[in-house]
């Protein structure tokens, strides 16, 4: 039976609540709700040694009461709360920990920097397909920054350094703007503080940077608006961009006064004063590492806390690696009220046909998986209108969060859904023209298979029971056994949907024969 849990990430600037449902039988994690409140614990650290002010203690407790109320109304049990750098620094943090325990029954675990970094990596691993090549995960907090070097989803090195945006702001206050001398001081301080990281790892191999914090998400939205990618600006998770797009935004953040930074499209007002410091840290990382791409992850510490708890709930077993993608498909199917039996049947037909045609298309497991996902979601546009549902499906997928899929994978999936019926791919279609040549080739080889799978699932309405394929240099003949009698008249309609596309893509005439095999 699914179990609901709550995760509270109590950071230096903001507190986050995440509600999730865990299904031990299916080994699945489903994110149900996210909330965020800016508390600014770091600004309330006063004196030496630093301590929380009365004002910030009151603000923190008010937010905790609200989060605990929401969690209990949702019947979440347990409520997993973790404190980070501000709790580690404040000499009177015990006052907040004690008040939370006695008034709310809430146990807050104060994480070490290393444990925080480990859980951030768990969250990123849950929310992203991490690259096989070496990568750097960076979480820019208010007080500290966590750095995790990984490869093939395994941590190779991690460290927490006091380079958070609030810490930098306190040390180098902006005033009426940043002078060149002040920028030089900040950059030198960042480089000096980064030295333990830079001296401990092999930098030339790390080409992928994954940013998991609010600073990175805001940076991604600023870039997306700057280049006119408004879909990405609304769904920033997995947004990927090259470093060259970062530098115009860096220039704006360092030269515009705070009052004008607030008005930048994509800027959260609460972050306007802090973003220049985070951007200067990113600049230093891009100078130190040969980064080719930066990817934004909306999954970080709070998701990592849930992921780690799920592993113990699932009796020590890792949540299934495929579950995030599959869960995304299932959630979309439920949200848009799809015909699940037809979706499942279309998927099985698509996988069967892909395997039979392997000698001709010569594609691999990634393309097979893309076809399977597209076959499952191909009718999602019916939610808007059955007429033109292939186009509506493209729109839905381009405007939906797609946890587990990279932006490139999501765009390929949306295009496959677009071409499962009606018109053929054309350079006049914007979202097809945006694809690189390699993905256009995949569309050409895979989309005809998807069309055929949809037709077979529509008319035969049963599992593949006997499917044979023969091919020559001139034609491909598919023979399909069926329990359904009297389907012969439908073959011309099926061929009209599939034939021209198949012939254009495979340079062979396509023939279909249905053989009645009574039960």
């Amino acid at each position: 039976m699914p179990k609901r849990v709550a995760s509270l990430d109590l950071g230096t600037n903001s507190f986050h609540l995440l509600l999730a449902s865990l299904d031990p039988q299916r080994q699945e994690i489903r994110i149900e709700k996210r909330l965020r409140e800016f508390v600014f614990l770091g600004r309330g650290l006063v004196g030496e040694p630093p301590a929380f002010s009365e004002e910030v203690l009151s603000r923190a407790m008010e937010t905790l009461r609200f989060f605990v109320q929401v969690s209990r109304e949702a019947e979440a049990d347990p409520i997993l709360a973790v404190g980070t750098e501000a709790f580690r620094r404040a000499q009177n943090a015990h006052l907040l920990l004690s008040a939370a325990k006695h008034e709310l029954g809430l146990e807050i675990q104060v994480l070490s920097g290393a444990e925080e970094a480990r859980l951030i990596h768990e969250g990123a691993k849950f929310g992203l397909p991490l690259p096989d090549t070496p990568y750097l995960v960076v979480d820019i907090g208010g007080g500290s920054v966590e750095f995790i070097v990984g490869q093939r989803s395994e941590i190779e090195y991690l460290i927490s350094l006091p380079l958070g945006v609030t810490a930098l702001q306190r040390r180098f206050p902006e005033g009426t703007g940043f002078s060149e001398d002040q920028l030089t001081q900040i950059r030198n301080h960042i480089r000096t503080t980064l030295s333990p990281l830079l001296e401990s790892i092999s930098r030339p191999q790390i080409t992928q940077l994954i940013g998991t914090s609010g600073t990175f998400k805001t940076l991604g939205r600023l870039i997306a608006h700057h280049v006119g990618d408004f879909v990405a600006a609304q769904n920033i998770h997995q947004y990927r961009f090259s470093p060259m797009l970062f530098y115009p935004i860096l220039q704006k953040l360092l030269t515009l006064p705070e009052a004008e930074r607030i008005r930048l499209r994509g800027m959260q007002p609460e972050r306007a004063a802090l973003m220049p410091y985070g951007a200067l840290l990113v600049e230093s990382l891009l100078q130190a590492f040969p980064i080719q791409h930066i990817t934004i992850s909306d999954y970080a510490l709070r998701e990592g806390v849930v992921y780690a708890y799920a592993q113990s709930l699932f009796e020590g077993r890792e949540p299934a690696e495929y579950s995030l993608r599959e869960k995304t498909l299932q959630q979309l199917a439920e949200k848009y009220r799809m015909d699940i039996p037809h979706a499942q049947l279309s998927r099985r037909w698509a996988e069967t046909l892909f395997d039979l045609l392997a000698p001709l298309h010569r594609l691999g497991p990634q393309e097979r998986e893309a076809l399977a996902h597209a076959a499952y979601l191909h009718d999602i546009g019916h939610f808007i209108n059955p007429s033109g549902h292939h186009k509506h499906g493209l729109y839905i997928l381009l405007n939906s969060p797609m946890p587990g899929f990279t932006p490139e994978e999501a765009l390929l999936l949306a295009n496959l859904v677009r071409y499962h019926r009606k018109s053929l791919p054309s350079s006049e279609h914007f979202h097809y023209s945006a694809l690189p040549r390699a993905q256009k080739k995949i569309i050409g080889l895979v989309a005809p298979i998807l069309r055929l799978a949809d037709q077979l699932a529509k008319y035969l309405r049963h599992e593949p029971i006997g499917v044979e394929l023969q091919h020559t240099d001139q034609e491909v003949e598919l023979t399909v056994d069926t329990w359904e009698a009297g389907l012969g008249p439908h073959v011309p309609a099926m061929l009209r949907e599939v034939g021209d596309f198949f012939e254009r893509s495979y340079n062979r005439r396509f023939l279909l024969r249905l053989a009645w095999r009574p039960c």
Side-chain angles (χ1 to χ4, degrees):
M1 181 177 180
K3 177 184 181 68
R4 186 173 287 115
V5 300
S7 170
L8 274 62
D9 168 7
L10 312 178
T12 300
N13 283 328
S14 54
F15 284 9
H16 295 262
L17 166 65
L18 182 146
L19 293 175
S21 176
L22 311 183
D23 189 334
Q25 184 175 0
R26 302 175 67 178
Q27 291 183 261
E28 288 187 351
I29 305 170
R30 178 172 181 173
I31 305 301
E32 296 184 342
K33 189 172 189 176
R34 303 173 189 267
L35 293 174
R36 182 202 62 209
E37 295 287 338
F38 283 100
V39 178
F40 296 112
L41 283 183
R43 294 181 186 175
L45 280 170
V46 295
E48 193 58 46
F52 291 137
S53 66
E54 288 293 330
E55 180 185 0
V56 80
L57 285 172
S58 175
R59 192 162 62 239
M61 279 302 297
E62 181 181 357
T63 302
L64 289 176
R65 290 187 193 100
F66 171 58
F67 280 179
V68 169
Q69 178 185 354
V70 171
S71 301
R72 289 180 176 153
E73 287 176 352
E75 299 181 344
D77 183 28
I79 302 174
L80 308 166
V82 295
T84 58
E85 197 272 347
F87 285 85
R88 296 194 289 267
R89 288 184 59 214
Q91 69 165 0
N92 64 343
H94 64 280
L95 296 178
L96 183 53
L97 299 175
S98 178
K101 180 176 180 179
H102 290 100
E103 180 184 336
L104 304 173
L106 181 67
E107 293 274 2
I108 301 174
Q109 178 188 2
V110 179
L111 301 174
S112 67
E115 180 63 8
E116 182 180 353
R118 186 189 72 82
L119 289 170
I120 287 167
H121 184 264
E122 291 292 285
K125 183 168 69 174
F126 173 48
L128 285 174
L130 296 177
D132 290 335
T133 54
Y135 55 83
L136 176 66
V137 177
V138 181
D139 187 278
I140 302 175
S144 64
V145 180
E146 281 60 53
F147 302 88
I148 308 99
V149 177
Q151 186 170 358
R152 298 186 181 90
S153 298
E154 296 295 330
I155 295 174
E156 296 190 344
Y157 176 84
L158 56 78
I159 192 171
S160 178
L161 297 174
L163 284 171
V165 288
T166 301
L168 290 173
Q169 183 192 45
R170 290 170 68 93
R171 187 178 183 115
F172 304 100
E174 178 181 356
T176 57
F178 292 101
S179 67
E180 285 301 318
D181 181 62
Q182 187 179 29
L183 291 175
T184 299
Q185 291 180 41
I186 299 172
R187 287 174 170 128
N188 288 339
H189 173 73
I190 290 173
R191 280 195 293 267
T192 300
T193 310
L194 281 175
S195 58
L197 168 70
L198 303 181
E199 293 169 2
S200 300
I201 58 177
S202 177
R203 285 180 273 160
Q205 299 178 359
I206 298 174
T207 61
Q208 305 293 322
L209 172 60
I210 298 167
T212 66
S213 58
T215 295
F216 271 108
K217 287 186 284 186
T218 301
L219 183 61
R221 280 190 286 266
L222 291 171
I223 290 172
H225 278 293
H226 179 71
V227 300
D229 192 344
F230 304 120
V231 172
Q234 296 300 315
N235 301 295
I236 203 64
H237 179 58
Q238 299 194 58
Y239 181 49
R240 191 181 186 202
F241 56 90
S242 65
M244 64 178 293
L245 296 178
F246 161 76
Y247 290 102
I249 301 302
L250 171 68
Q251 187 67 17
K252 287 184 179 182
L253 293 173
L254 297 184
T255 56
L256 293 176
E258 182 182 346
E260 293 185 35
R261 293 199 298 267
I262 290 177
R263 292 197 289 269
L264 291 173
R265 296 192 68 183
M267 178 67 76
Q268 292 176 298
E270 299 88 348
R271 297 193 184 277
L274 300 171
M275 282 302 297
Y277 302 96
L280 285 166
L281 173 59
V282 174
E283 177 193 42
S284 292
L285 294 173
L286 294 179
Q287 292 171 349
F289 296 92
I291 299 299
Q292 296 176 2
H293 294 100
I294 302 170
T295 303
I296 307 299
S297 172
D298 198 22
Y299 288 61
L301 177 58
R302 50 201 170 275
E303 290 81 12
V305 169
V306 171
Y307 191 87
Y309 177 79
Q311 292 179 52
S312 63
L313 183 67
F314 300 163
E315 298 177 352
R317 296 173 291 171
E318 289 278 346
E321 289 297 326
Y322 67 87
S323 64
L324 183 59
R325 289 174 181 252
E326 294 298 324
K327 181 180 61 187
T328 296
L329 301 183
Q330 293 165 13
Q331 289 176 344
L332 287 169
E334 292 172 6
K335 180 177 181 179
Y336 294 102
R337 303 173 190 171
M338 286 175 49
D339 181 347
I340 302 300
H342 177 69
Q344 293 171 335
L345 185 57
S346 299
R347 178 174 183 165
R348 286 191 283 274
W349 274 108
E351 291 169 334
T352 298
L353 295 169
F354 182 93
D355 294 341
L356 287 170
L357 285 163
L360 299 182
H361 58 61
R362 301 180 184 275
L363 299 174
Q366 291 182 328
E367 291 79 18
R368 186 181 193 271
E369 184 182 43
L371 169 62
H373 294 159
Y376 188 82
L377 294 176
H378 72 279
D379 276 345
I380 194 170
H382 273 274
F383 182 83
I384 296 177
N385 195 325
S387 176
H389 69 269
H390 53 304
K391 296 179 183 179
H392 301 316
L394 172 81
Y395 174 83
I396 288 173
L397 293 179
L398 290 177
N399 290 277
S400 296
M402 297 290 289
F405 294 86
T406 66
E408 294 83 359
E409 290 169 336
L411 181 59
L412 176 65
L413 178 59
N415 271 282
L416 284 172
V417 168
R418 164 70 172 86
Y419 295 116
H420 86 270
R421 66 191 292 266
K422 296 293 184 179
S423 61
L424 304 188
S426 168
S427 59
E428 296 180 359
H429 300 159
F430 174 77
H431 293 290
Y432 175 75
S433 65
L435 292 171
R437 181 178 299 178
Q439 288 201 331
K440 289 179 180 177
K441 181 180 178 181
I442 293 171
I443 295 287
L445 294 170
V446 170
I449 303 176
L450 175 56
R451 289 192 177 208
L452 181 56
D454 178 37
Q455 293 294 306
L456 292 170
K458 174 182 176 181
Y459 288 107
L460 272 61
R461 294 175 295 177
H462 62 66
E463 302 276 345
I465 54 172
V467 189
E468 294 182 2
L469 184 135
Q470 295 180 332
H471 63 87
T472 67
D473 291 340
Q474 288 76 40
E475 65 182 28
V476 172
E477 182 177 25
L478 184 72
T479 302
V480 180
D481 291 349
T482 175
W483 298 328
E484 303 280 344
L487 293 180
H490 295 295
V491 170
M494 298 167 73
L495 288 174
R496 280 194 298 273
E497 193 67 62
V498 177
D500 288 346
F501 198 174
F502 189 96
E503 183 172 346
R504 190 179 85 167
S505 297
Y506 287 87
N507 198 29
R508 290 169 172 85
R509 182 168 169 239
F510 179 71
L511 304 174
L512 174 63
R513 189 168 70 89
L514 301 183
W516 181 45
R517 300 284 189 266
C519 300

